[in-house]
Amino acid sequence: MPLTDLVPTISALTPAVLMALAAAHAALAGRTPTPGPTVPPPTLWRGFQGLSLAALAAAALALALPFLARPDAAPANGLGAWLAPSPFAGVLALLVQLLGTVIGAFSARYLQGERGQPRYVAMLAVVLAAVHGLLLAQHWLVLIGAWALVGVALQRLLCFYPERAFARLAAHKKRLADRVADALLLLAAALAWGTVGSGSLPALWDHVAQHGLNPALHLSAVALVLAVVLRTALLPVHGWLIQVMEAPTPVSALLHAGVVNLGGFVLIRFAPLLEQAMPARALLLAFGLATAVLAGMVMLTRISIKVRLAWSTVAQMGFMLVECALGLYTLAALHLLGHSLYKAHAFLSASEAVRSTRLQALSAPSPATGASLLFAPVLSVAVVLGLSAAPDVAPWPWWWSAVLALAWAPLLWLPSAPAPAGLRARQTVCGALMVAGLTLAALFAHALPFGLNDAPQHALGLITLAGMGALYAGLALLQRRPGLLSGWRRWSYAGFYVDEAYTRLALRLWPTRWTPETATPRA
């Protein structure tokens, strides 16, 4: 095989190798016979940052290679049968390494004086290396192994402060969800492997294109969807994602901006299988839509900034999986990229978020007028539909334009406080311009060459539109008649008691001591 055929794969694999070297260096620095590490933490962090910057440059170079945009250029045997790049995976690899570099620099300052920094550096590097491996996976075994390694390394980061009880409980619940997800992935792989006769993912795509789906492949798709639901912290196993607020802030940024998003990438990767697996898509829509609606309501009742951000992540993951269930893979990819950047910034600047929230609380806005609550979705739908229908071929179905319009309609709400007619008009125009700007940005981003093919499912799309319409109606009612939803607010604040049920089940199935042991006083 010519060496030039391996250049794209080797270039894309370089960031994973560099991060593995960073992990090995940090692990060796932490294993010393002396009470403290022989390598000072500042030196350790400088080594990590140097390798991380080199990995970032390698990821940018791999993405810039002209033949990387041709997935068919990847070799079908040898190294390419296990690992191969793709345009979207290349973009994600660059984003992941950029976030890892920024989070590493933040962590070096955040953890000054803390014990266990070599272990932290090693596990951070392992997470980044495993994510790079997952993005390149062309085989079931690589995908399952890389995703499992991400979870194992993340467990050590979540328990960086082992004396914190809720951190240990969250890690235990995540461990249980991960092991069940691993079993489901193995089941999905076994069913697909037995049908196709190979563990190669491209071989699976070819088989599905030629022969369609038999019952075994339908069951494989269902097992894959359930595994993604568990790994992406959807309801009812979302509680660990809320409770990891006990972990250091950069760990929260890594988790919310990168790791939890991997479920969306896996679903996009398995688009050829999901397109023909209607039972799996319906199941994915049920979990995703219920999570998006319920977590969105819970988020509105939270006061803690980090906890509100965590519930926002749960809702956004549900919405992203809805996009995958509907076959809107390009939009799901854009959602993944945007959510990663937003959550990284939100967690790493959490102190400024607290300050801005307090300033907003000093000038509590009045509820929206009833007329604007009714008029906002109409105007928003008109703007989105008008702009998205301008091209000869609409980038997405009309019902998705209506969903986006409902999501952006609150930008057109007008406060009920008295104001001159001229000010009302300016507020309406500004809101309409913001909706138009968001629509144009979505249209532009949708045209980026990710190499993804959408497969919209109209029946599921109408169900999604009805669900988002119900959510908007609830928000509008909350604005005008909050007393009618007082009982609902109590349930929302409690997270609908879903996590309590899952916690009891997890501790019953896999008992563990999650509270720190107290020292016994001497006589």
Side-chain angles (χ1 to χ4, degrees):
M1 180 184 300
L3 181 61
T4 54
D5 289 343
L6 291 176
V7 170
T9 301
I10 294 175
S11 301
L13 190 58
T14 300
V17 174
L18 292 174
M19 288 296 93
L21 290 175
H25 177 254
L28 291 175
R31 293 182 179 180
T32 60
T34 58
T38 55
V39 180
T43 303
L44 194 63
W45 280 113
R46 282 195 293 270
F48 172 85
Q49 285 299 100
L51 290 171
S52 185
L53 287 172
L56 181 62
L61 176 62
L63 185 61
L65 291 175
F67 40 76
L68 184 60
R70 302 202 324 264
D72 59 328
N77 49 40
L79 182 62
W82 298 86
L83 301 165
S86 67
F88 180 51
V91 173
L92 274 185
L94 182 62
L95 173 64
V96 165
Q97 196 55 49
L98 174 62
L99 294 177
T101 304
V102 173
I103 289 172
F106 185 92
S107 300
R109 299 190 302 272
Y110 185 91
L111 297 175
Q112 283 184 3
E114 295 279 1
R115 297 177 57 187
Q117 290 187 60
R119 171 171 54 89
Y120 181 98
V121 175
M123 292 302 102
L124 174 60
V126 169
V127 169
L128 294 174
V131 170
H132 282 298
L134 175 62
L135 296 178
L136 295 174
Q138 287 284 94
H139 197 280
W140 276 105
L141 295 181
V142 176
L143 184 143
I144 295 172
W147 213 354
L149 183 58
V150 171
V152 170
L154 190 62
Q155 289 284 332
R156 305 293 298 276
L157 294 175
L158 296 180
C159 291
F160 184 76
Y161 299 118
E163 71 279 3
R164 297 184 178 182
F166 279 106
R168 296 174 60 172
L169 178 61
H172 178 69
K173 292 195 295 184
K174 185 183 186 303
R175 187 184 303 114
L176 176 60
D178 283 353
R179 297 296 77 80
V180 176
D182 290 339
L184 287 168
L185 283 174
L186 288 172
L187 174 62
L191 291 169
W193 202 324
T195 302
V196 179
S198 169
S200 170
L201 298 184
L204 175 59
W205 313 152
D206 292 340
H207 179 89
V208 169
Q210 295 177 11
H211 306 287
L213 269 61
N214 61 5
L217 288 180
H218 273 290
L219 186 57
S220 176
V222 169
L224 174 69
V225 163
L226 291 176
V228 169
V229 167
L230 291 171
R231 283 286 175 82
T232 317
L234 266 63
L235 270 69
V237 296
H238 63 287
W240 64 266
L241 187 62
I242 309 301
Q243 291 163 351
V244 295
M245 296 300 103
E246 296 287 338
T249 294
V251 175
S252 298
L254 176 69
L255 176 62
H256 289 260
V259 174
V260 78
N261 290 322
L262 292 176
F265 169 77
V266 170
L267 290 177
I268 294 171
R269 187 78 176 87
F270 279 82
L273 177 66
L274 292 177
E275 286 175 10
Q276 301 187 39
M278 277 305 299
R281 292 176 71 170
L283 185 65
L284 186 61
L285 179 71
F287 276 102
L289 188 58
T291 299
V293 173
L294 295 179
M297 295 297 294
V298 175
M299 182 185 66
L300 298 176
T301 66
R302 296 297 167 158
I303 300 175
S304 169
I305 302 301
K306 289 180 68 176
V307 173
R308 186 186 301 172
L309 287 173
W311 277 105
S312 169
T313 297
V314 175
Q316 293 295 328
M317 291 303 99
F319 200 66
M320 184 190 305
L321 266 56
V322 165
E323 292 167 331
C324 294
L326 298 177
L328 303 177
Y329 303 112
T330 303
L331 288 168
L334 296 173
H335 193 163
L336 193 159
L337 295 173
H339 180 265
S340 296
L341 293 171
Y342 166 68
K343 277 298 163 43
H345 175 267
F347 274 99
L348 296 182
S349 61
S351 59
E352 295 182 5
V354 172
R355 180 176 178 274
S356 62
T357 301
R358 287 177 175 174
L359 292 176
Q360 291 176 5
L362 294 177
S363 56
S366 58
T369 63
S372 68
L373 292 174
L374 295 174
F375 180 69
V378 176
L379 179 56
S380 184
V381 167
V383 172
V384 177
L385 282 176
L387 291 175
S388 60
D392 295 334
V393 179
W396 51 70
W398 67 268
W399 42 261
W400 188 253
S401 294
V403 170
L404 292 179
L406 286 175
W408 297 333
L411 295 173
L412 295 164
W413 287 355
L414 301 176
S416 57
L423 178 59
R424 296 286 196 200
R426 287 195 299 271
Q427 290 173 337
T428 302
V429 171
C430 289
L433 289 176
M434 285 190 288
V435 172
L438 290 171
T439 305
L440 292 174
L443 291 171
F444 171 79
H446 195 277
L448 295 177
F450 287 142
L452 304 176
N453 297 316
D454 294 341
Q457 219 296 323
H458 297 283
L460 297 181
L462 294 177
I463 295 174
T464 302
L465 179 58
M468 297 307 295
L471 177 60
Y472 181 85
L475 295 177
L477 187 61
L478 194 62
Q479 287 284 318
R480 300 304 303 169
R481 297 289 186 270
L484 296 178
L485 298 179
S486 57
W488 180 265
R489 284 180 62 88
R490 286 194 296 270
W491 278 75
S492 296
Y493 184 79
F496 301 99
Y497 302 99
V498 175
D499 182 53
E500 286 75 10
Y502 172 66
T503 301
R504 289 193 295 268
L505 178 63
L507 294 176
R508 184 177 297 115
L509 295 176
W510 193 352
T512 186
R513 178 183 291 274
W514 58 278
T515 55
E517 298 182 6
T518 57
T520 303
R522 297 182 178 180

